[in-house]
């Protein structure tokens, strides 16, 4: 179990590193070349960049069973890179110091929540339906607010988003642990893909928690 969880967290950490490097590299290119900035953030391409990760994560979940472990790992890292391009504008909007500070706060909060989810004797499975319904509502509200640009609605979305992804961090960690305990005799291929899916869930929990916290803690340029 320890080796399995280490693999999950290791994949997640590498994916987060790929996202950070891609986001910073993309933002740097945009800051040094106005044409790149205009293409990424002001042209119709920005809608593709904005929604492509959401479409890709659903497609990845549907296709995972048909992929090999190595192919699934590659797709996960490709998704992480695409997500980096999608969130790269944070380096143009917020100061670098506030981004680092928010990342550290997110890392501490995530570690505590994930540790609690791993060690608690409380069954968190009942949270699943509630959190999923909240997540669907959050996605719909976020998409609507792209077009109406309400600051009050954005504040409410950020507050609810922090709560939902804090809960999902603990819930997903316990679920990943229980999945291994129930399916540990299923073979290396299944467990390898299961670890990748677990890493993807925790990656999304961490990234979304970071983005919502950044809306509170980030100092704007």
């Amino acid at each position: 179990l320890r080796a399995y969880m280490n693999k999950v967290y290791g994949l997640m950490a590498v994916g987060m590193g790929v996202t950070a490097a891609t986001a910073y590299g993309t933002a740097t290119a945009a800051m040094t070349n106005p044409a790149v900035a205009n293409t990424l953030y002001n042209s119709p391409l920005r809608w593709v960049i904005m929604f492509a990760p959401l479409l890709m994560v659903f497609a990845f979940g549907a296709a995972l069973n048909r992929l090999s472990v190595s192919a699934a790992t590659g797709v996960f890292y490709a998704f992480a890179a695409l997500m980096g391009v999608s969130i790269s504008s944070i380096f143009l909007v917020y100061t670098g110091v506030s981004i680092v500070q928010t990342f550290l706060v997110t890392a501490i909060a995530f570690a505590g929540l994930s540790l609690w989810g791993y060690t608690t004797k409380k069954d968190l499975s009942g949270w699943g339906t509630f959190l999923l319904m909240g997540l669907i509502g959050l996605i719909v509200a976020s998409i609507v607010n792209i077009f109406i640009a309400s600051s009050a609605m954005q504040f409410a979305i950020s507050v609810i988003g922090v709560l939902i992804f804090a809960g999902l961090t603990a819930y997903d960690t316990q679920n990943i642990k229980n999945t291994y305990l129930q399916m540990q005799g299923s073979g290396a291929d299944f467990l390898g893909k299961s670890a990748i899916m677990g890493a993807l869930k925790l990656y999304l929990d961490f990234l979304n928690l970071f983005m919502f916290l950044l809306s509170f803690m980030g100092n704007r340029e």
Side-chain angles (χ1 to χ4, degrees):
L1 176 60
R2 181 179 298 174
Y4 177 79
M5 294 302 294
N6 285 341
K7 182 176 182 179
V8 171
Y9 286 118
L11 286 165
M12 174 208 155
V14 174
M16 196 59 63
V18 170
T19 298
T22 307
Y24 183 76
T26 302
T28 300
M31 286 186 282
T32 56
N33 190 329
V36 173
N38 188 60
T39 300
L40 290 175
Y41 307 127
N42 294 321
S43 73
L45 180 62
R46 71 190 179 106
W47 298 108
V48 176
I49 293 172
M50 187 180 299
F51 290 109
L54 183 63
L55 297 176
M56 186 175 180
V57 75
F58 285 123
F60 180 47
L64 180 62
N65 290 332
R66 298 192 295 272
L67 299 173
S68 65
V69 173
S70 58
T73 304
V75 173
F76 170 61
Y77 291 148
F79 166 76
L82 182 60
M83 185 62 80
V85 176
S86 181
I87 68 168
S88 60
S89 60
I90 64 171
F91 288 99
L92 283 71
V93 176
Y94 300 100
T95 63
V97 172
S98 66
I99 291 174
V100 172
Q101 289 175 339
T102 305
F103 182 86
L104 293 175
V105 169
T106 305
I108 294 169
F110 177 89
L113 290 162
S114 190
L115 180 62
W116 181 74
Y118 182 82
T119 58
T120 184
K121 302 300 182 182
K122 179 180 175 63
D123 182 9
L124 305 181
S125 58
W127 293 15
T129 302
F130 173 77
L131 290 170
L132 179 60
M133 291 175 60
L135 180 59
I136 293 172
L138 190 70
I139 292 172
V140 173
S142 298
I143 292 174
V144 169
N145 202 44
I146 290 173
F147 300 100
I148 65 176
S150 167
S151 58
M153 187 173 181
Q154 183 58 49
F155 179 80
I157 288 171
S158 297
V159 172
I160 296 170
V162 168
L163 295 175
I164 287 176
F165 284 101
L168 279 171
T169 297
Y171 170 81
D172 285 336
T173 301
Q174 186 180 85
N175 191 44
I176 291 166
K177 174 186 175 182
N178 290 340
T179 298
Y180 174 81
L181 294 175
Q182 294 166 7
M183 309 297 291
Q184 57 184 313
S186 300
D189 187 69
F190 175 86
L191 290 177
K193 294 178 183 179
S194 179
I196 295 168
M197 183 54 68
L200 175 62
K201 290 178 179 179
L202 293 182
Y203 166 94
L204 290 171
D205 293 340
F206 185 102
L207 185 65
N208 281 284
L209 191 59
F210 166 75
M211 293 298 291
F212 285 122
L213 285 173
L214 188 62
S215 67
F216 294 117
M217 301 176 60
N219 294 320
R220 291 182 174 269
E221 292 281 13

